[in-house]
């Protein structure tokens, strides 16, 4: 597994969303979510360090298909490239949050684990791609959008992704990765840069924002709500409440129609 870019820090929250939850309240990069799962293990998930592993059968197909051509840099020495997911199957709910977790983008889990969702890439780009530091805007002539500092790896990227043989499923995953990148960077770029994991966790727990649904929040006149971090946390609480209310409304509407 590739190492984390040294200049990036990942926040974790007391309540980590599962694939059954919406991402309206929390939007993190694939790599940040993996870091959260590693830091707060879940026995149902297994070894979170393997969430980016590509099955051998799929890996073999991609190596045969892509030869030595990186998705972005073109011809690349074999020792400098590796296969990687476009959208890691476990995190498909981050890429396609408005669809059913079991039928993400109209696909089953088996459909997600196929060669259209995997590409060959320069090893120096993979950690940043998995961290949603850059993505491809298909609707803007495959323009490569860089969201965060990438160090020397930035020089490997052209302005637009080179053309490749059309694959409708590949474009679904590429678009899903880009949309995840937009949400991860636009919604949480500031808090990740300003506060450490411990600071976020500590204040959320002090304010009563935790794993249990019946946690009692601190009074609204508590001065900690008025701090910059406190306001960020309250914003997350409101987003989650709105999302939960929408889910209940949709469920009630479905039951009435049924």
């Amino acid at each position: 597994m590739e190492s984390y870019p040294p200049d990036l820090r990942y926040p974790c929250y007391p309540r980590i969303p599962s694939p059954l939850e919406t991402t309206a309240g929390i939007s993190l990069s694939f790599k940040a979510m993996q870091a959260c799962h590693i830091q707060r293990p879940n026995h149902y998930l297994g070894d979170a360090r393997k969430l980016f592993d590509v099955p051998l059968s799929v890996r073999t197909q991609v190596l045969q298909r892509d030869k030595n051509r990186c998705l972005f840099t073109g011809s690349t020495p074999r020792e400098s490239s590796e296969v990687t997911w476009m959208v890691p199957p476990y995190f498909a709910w981050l890429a396609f949050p408005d669809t059913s977790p079991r039928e993400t983008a109209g696909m089953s889990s088996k459909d997600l684990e196929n060669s259209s969702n995997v590409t060959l890439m320069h090893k120096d780009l993979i950690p940043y791609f998995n961290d949603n530091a850059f993505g491809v805007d298909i609707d803007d002539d495959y323009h490569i959008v860089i969201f965060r500092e990438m160090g020397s790896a930035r020089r490997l990227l052209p302005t637009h992704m080179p053309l490749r043989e059309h694959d409708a499923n590949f474009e679904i995953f590429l678009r899903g990765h880009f949309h995840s990148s937009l949400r991860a960077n636009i919604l949480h770029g500031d808090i990740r840069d300003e506060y450490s994991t411990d600071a976020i966790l500590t204040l959320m727990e002090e304010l009563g924002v935790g794993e249990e649904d019946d946690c009692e929040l601190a009074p609204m006149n508590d001065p900690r709500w008025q701090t910059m971090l406190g306001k960020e946390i309250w914003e997350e609480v409101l987003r989650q409440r709105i999302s939960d209310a929408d889910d209940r409304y949709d469920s009630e509407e479905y039951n009435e129609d049924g």
Side-chain angles (χ1 to χ4, degrees), residues 214-252:
D214 58 355
C215 283
E216 184 175 347
L217 295 178
M220 293 312 299
N221 60 0
D222 189 312
R224 289 173 295 183
W225 286 118
Q226 301 306 313
T227 65
M228 184 177 296
L229 180 55
K231 291 178 180 179
E232 292 276 1
I233 293 173
W234 178 243
E235 190 173 317
E236 295 300 335
V237 172
L238 290 179
R239 283 198 185 107
Q240 190 62 53
R241 287 180 176 179
I242 292 171
S243 174
D244 290 344
D246 287 343
D247 288 345
R248 287 194 297 271
Y249 175 81
D250 291 342
S251 177
E252 292 170 0

Side-chain angles (χ1 to χ4, degrees), residues 2-258:
E2 67 276 6
S3 60
Y4 294 96
D7 57 334
L8 298 180
R9 294 187 299 181
Y10 306 98
C12 294
Y13 298 82
R15 184 170 183 265
I16 301 301
S18 72
L20 298 179
E21 298 178 275
T22 177
T23 58
I26 298 177
S27 293
L28 302 177
S29 71
F30 300 147
K31 208 61 161 161
M33 283 303 303
Q34 182 196 37
C36 288
H37 285 302
I38 291 174
Q39 191 168 348
R40 305 173 78 84
N42 181 332
H43 69 277
Y44 293 107
L45 175 62
D47 190 350
R49 293 170 297 180
K50 298 181 179 180
L51 290 175
F52 290 97
D53 289 0
V54 177
L56 180 59
S57 60
V58 177
R59 183 177 186 276
T60 300
Q61 293 177 39
V62 174
L63 289 174
Q64 293 175 345
R65 181 196 68 199
D66 293 350
K67 307 300 181 185
N68 291 326
R69 294 194 62 81
C70 164
L71 179 64
F72 299 108
T73 66
S75 183
T76 303
R78 179 66 192 88
E79 63 273 14
S80 298
S81 60
E82 188 50 85
V83 298
T84 188
W85 296 107
M86 305 295 295
V87 175
Y90 181 78
F91 296 128
W93 57 281
L94 285 171
F96 312 104
D98 296 326
T99 58
S100 164
R102 289 185 298 174
E103 298 296 334
T104 301
M107 300 178 182
S108 66
S109 297
K110 183 178 180 180
D111 292 325
L112 292 167
E113 296 185 2
N114 70 72
S115 59
S116 291
N117 189 22
V118 179
T119 189
L120 189 72
M121 195 177 300
H122 195 291
K123 289 180 179 179
D124 290 348
L125 293 174
I126 290 176
Y128 295 99
F129 187 75
N130 288 340
D131 195 49
N132 299 94
F134 73 97
V136 179
D137 186 354
I138 293 179
D139 299 322
D140 188 20
D141 195 25
Y142 295 84
H143 176 65
I144 296 175
V145 180
I146 299 173
F147 296 100
R148 295 199 305 280
E149 174 60 39
M150 294 177 55
S152 60
R154 167 66 181 85
R155 296 195 296 268
L156 295 170
L157 292 174
T159 58
H160 294 75
M161 190 189 87
L163 295 178
R164 54 173 284 157
E165 184 177 348
H166 178 70
D167 179 342
N169 285 337
F170 169 81
E171 295 203 348
I172 288 175
F173 295 121
L174 186 61
R175 191 184 299 276
H177 177 276
F178 182 66
H179 289 171
S180 297
S181 301
L182 286 173
R183 285 188 289 271
N185 288 284
I186 291 176
L187 291 182
H188 282 286
D190 53 346
I191 196 170
R192 289 193 297 179
D193 292 337
E194 297 294 333
Y195 303 102
S196 68
T197 297
D198 288 341
I200 296 172
L201 288 174
T202 298
L203 187 56
M204 290 185 79
E205 291 172 355
E206 289 176 355
L207 293 174
V209 182
E211 297 181 0
E212 302 299 328
D213 291 336
D214 58 355
C215 283
E216 184 175 347
L217 295 178
M220 293 312 299
N221 60 0
D222 189 312
R224 289 173 295 183
W225 286 118
Q226 301 306 313
T227 65
M228 184 177 296
L229 180 55
K231 291 178 180 179
E232 292 276 1
I233 293 173
W234 178 243
E235 190 173 317
E236 295 300 335
V237 172
L238 290 179
R239 283 198 185 107
Q240 190 62 53
R241 287 180 176 179
I242 292 171
S243 174
D244 290 344
D246 287 343
D247 288 345
R248 287 194 297 271
Y249 175 81
D250 291 342
S251 177
E252 292 170 0
E253 186 177 60
Y254 175 81
N255 290 335
E256 290 177 1
D257 292 342

